[in-house]
Amino acid sequence: MLIHSASQLLTLAGGPQRGHALGTLGIIEHGAVVVREEKIVAVGTTDEMRAAYPHEPSLDASGCVLMPGFVDPHTHVIWAGDRANEFGMKMAGMHYLDILAAGGGIISTVHATRTASIETLISQTRPRLLRMFAHGTTTAEAKSGYGLQTATELRLLKALLALDDEGPLDLAITFLGAHAIAPEFKDDPQGYTDLVCDTMLPIVKEWWGTHAPRLSLPFVDVFCENKAFNLEQSRRVLTKARSLGFPLKIHADEFDNLGGVSLAVELGAASADHLVKTSEADIAALGKAETVAVSLPCTPFGLAECHYTPAREIIEADGILALATDCNPGTTWNESMQFVIALACRAMKLTPAQAIAATTINSAYAIRRADTIGSIEVGKQADLLILSVPDYRQLGYRYGTNLVKQVIKRGRVYSVDVGYYRTA
Amino acid sequence: MLIHSASQLLTLAGGPQRGHALGTLGIIEHGAVVVREEKIVAVGTTDEMRAAYPHEPSLDASGCVLMPGFVDPHTHVIWAGDRANEFGMKMAGMHYLDILAAGGGIISTVHATRTASIETLISQTRPRLLRMFAHGTTTAEAKSGYGLQTATELRLLKALLALDDEGPLDLAITFLGAHAIAPEFKDDPQGYTDLVCDTMLPIVKEWWGTHAPRLSLPFVDVFCENKAFNLEQSRRVLTKARSLGFPLKIHADEFDNLGGVSLAVELGAASADHLVKTSEADIAALGKAETVAVSLPCTPFGLAECHYTPAREIIEADGILALATDCNPGTTWNESMQFVIALACRAMKLTPAQAIAATTINSAYAIRRADTIGSIEVGKQADLLILSVPDYRQLGYRYGTNLVKQVIKRGRVYSVDVGYYRTA
């Protein structure tokens, strides 16, 4: 298939974009891509591609931007129930602790998730994944973590494997047993940390080998924060995970700086995520590391807070910046990476070009898939977007709606209907 | 047609909601509406309606919220071209009024609009209106104002009349010749004010009588702001318009407090819009007036500013609060009232219930159509939304995507596809 005549083809070629290289779009005007089966086999101008592939069936992208599919590198997309009731209470001024005392907060989602069957978990999560896909996300990271007990965490991993298998979205799965202290261990965080390290991690490794023998091990993540896992507990979880061969991620500096970023860099984690209260020393460490700094601007936006990741400082320090939705039922239920781009431009003063690189090639790198996705290069998986706009700068400038016209996933074309049709 | 089994039917019955009455949704659980031709003929529980209308063809809304269509009371939706190139400049810190003073901003859209044919204006505006409609806006106010010369302003009004006639969205049209000082009058704002008052307004009145004899006169609006029209010039425009029989609106206090709100109240304007830098005295005046306070939170969001309408103070002062997109090519290109609700909850601490009332019955009142739209009451136009969620509080809580499943406009059903379908 020849996708041709794109007003702008954004290749994002050349690998992850560090520091001030962020925003190198590799624009080909009047661009074209040749796709065979699941792969990209040629990239160039429409004239070049038409000459080289004269008999290829074609898909017209005239007047449109053609770019890599979005890669969302941080989501908690699998859960049961919702917390809409808490949102109204929060906006009416009710304090978080009162909501918690009333049985709300993350623990209410844990209760709903524990009592949900795998069928319920899959049927409630599928529409969120399809909504992501319709907004241009072709690969998403997805974490367990609303079980906080071995059986439920395994059920979440099993549901995620089934959803990955079902497609069309590809999932990069993460085990986040260390998402919060389980309610049974409310007064014994050390005991829960022991459970994660000594019981859950070995079981997950063995279980994965049985249930997903052809896939590499999932990421292991930990929520390093006051009232969750302190730095030493986080170190224990990640060190144990590393010794078992798991690749690593960390939640760090969402509300307080505990040193999680430097821990992530020291242990060679794929990414350190949130990074709101990150110190200058930690920013400097990111500038010398392969650990990707994943910013989640929707989280402070969702909470109506005004502190965001110091993204420009991370760029200045030569770090590798990526962006994600953090889609979850508590702080930010938004599936759209387009909104993440719009918010990142405004709240963190990124240019649209920087935000696009941070949601494609760099976010692919944050889930260690930059060898196969995140850019339009020969040999890569054909995960592409055709936008209904002629200039990439309309991403960010326009917001609140969906600018994706077609999603090409592993070479198959899906049309997105942002309009309506009459039924009666 | 019987629309039945809605998990929540939000009637918004009882007229505009002043002060702390804001947010009175009138919820009927397991609700139903009977629609005949373009009108609502009965409202109640599903059991009641099924008993009273046993042979009515039915539309199942089970698991869904059924509510009035959104009314967007402030848009600049008709223009030619775009200003994606200015977006990066603004993110780099250049002020909107400085871009305007340098000949960019509004004036660059004015140049593009003046050279556009009516066919171009219609074809570029239609997708924006359909995008609004797909996101649940069933009636929108739409202003001229990118002409700033008589012939182009009339062409804009003509295009808006054609788009209103075409549907499905209904338009409430506003003449905004006083949107900015026309470039030809750069050094003579008084001269341009004279042109608006002495030439444009009488011509528009006569033209309207010829081209839209069955419609009441459009609103007349003025941008009362430093570098646009000062208070005395604004007073001249509005006083002249009122003497010709036009209903009034005003842009006030977006960047500076010039006293526009009290002027609007004094002259009996339908609404005063923006209201960011509104004084305590002006807020108090709104509390005693029928003039609706229309807040446009997307404008500061779009500009990455952090000052919003003092919405809670307006409620406290007993004002009538409404919300609008302000959709325009410079400061905020967002068509979705759902995002306005999400932003209003976070930035101005409205509850979802308050934001819903401010985007339906109160915004209908801001365009003086609360007698026919904005609520689900017997005799009103059948402009309804079926949301893909069971609880109204998911509006605001969830954001960035489209929660509308079906739009019923004047009794006709339109299905919205937020997903995708496979084409190859």
Side-chain angles (χ1 to χ4, degrees), chain A residues 175 178 192-206 217-222 231-249 263 266-267:
Chain A
F175 172 69
Y192 185 65
T193 307
D194 291 343
L195 181 73
V196 170
C197 294
D198 302 336
T199 304
M200 288 189 185
L201 285 174
I203 287 177
V204 167
K205 180 169 183 179
E206 193 185 333
L217 282 174
F219 291 97
V220 167
D221 194 350
V222 60
L231 188 65
E232 274 317 295
Q233 290 158 348
S234 300
R235 176 183 289 277
R236 265 202 73 205
V237 171
L238 294 183
T239 304
K240 180 62 183 276
R242 192 172 67 160
S243 75
L244 292 169
F246 291 100
L248 309 179
K249 286 179 168 282
L263 175 65
E266 176 195 332
L267 297 178

Side-chain angles (χ1 to χ4, degrees), chain A residues 172-303:
Chain A
I173 299 173
T174 295
F175 172 69
L176 181 58
H179 190 192
I181 305 299
E184 297 77 13
F185 291 84
K186 193 180 163 194
D187 303 316
D188 182 18
Q190 198 59 43
Y192 185 65
T193 307
D194 291 343
L195 181 73
V196 170
C197 294
D198 302 336
T199 304
M200 288 189 185
L201 285 174
I203 287 177
V204 167
K205 180 169 183 179
E206 193 185 333
W207 183 93
W208 192 269
T210 308
H211 289 78
R214 293 182 307 162
L215 298 179
S216 56
L217 282 174
F219 291 97
V220 167
D221 194 350
V222 60
F223 196 169
C224 180
E225 194 72 44
N226 286 331
K227 297 182 185 172
F229 297 85
N230 67 29
L231 188 65
E232 274 317 295
Q233 290 158 348
S234 300
R235 176 183 289 277
R236 265 202 73 205
V237 171
L238 294 183
T239 304
K240 180 62 183 276
R242 192 172 67 160
S243 75
L244 292 169
F246 291 100
L248 309 179
K249 286 179 168 282
I250 195 167
H251 284 62
D253 305 340
E254 181 176 358
F255 301 110
D256 292 290
N257 184 295
L258 301 190
V261 167
S262 289
L263 175 65
V265 169
E266 176 195 332
L267 297 178
S271 71
D273 301 27
H274 277 298
L275 312 186
V276 177
K277 299 294 172 62
T278 305
S279 67
E280 282 183 32
D282 284 345
I283 291 173
L286 286 166
K288 298 182 184 67
E290 292 302 307
T291 301
V292 178
V294 178
S295 174
L296 314 170
C298 287
T299 317
F301 176 79
L303 290 168

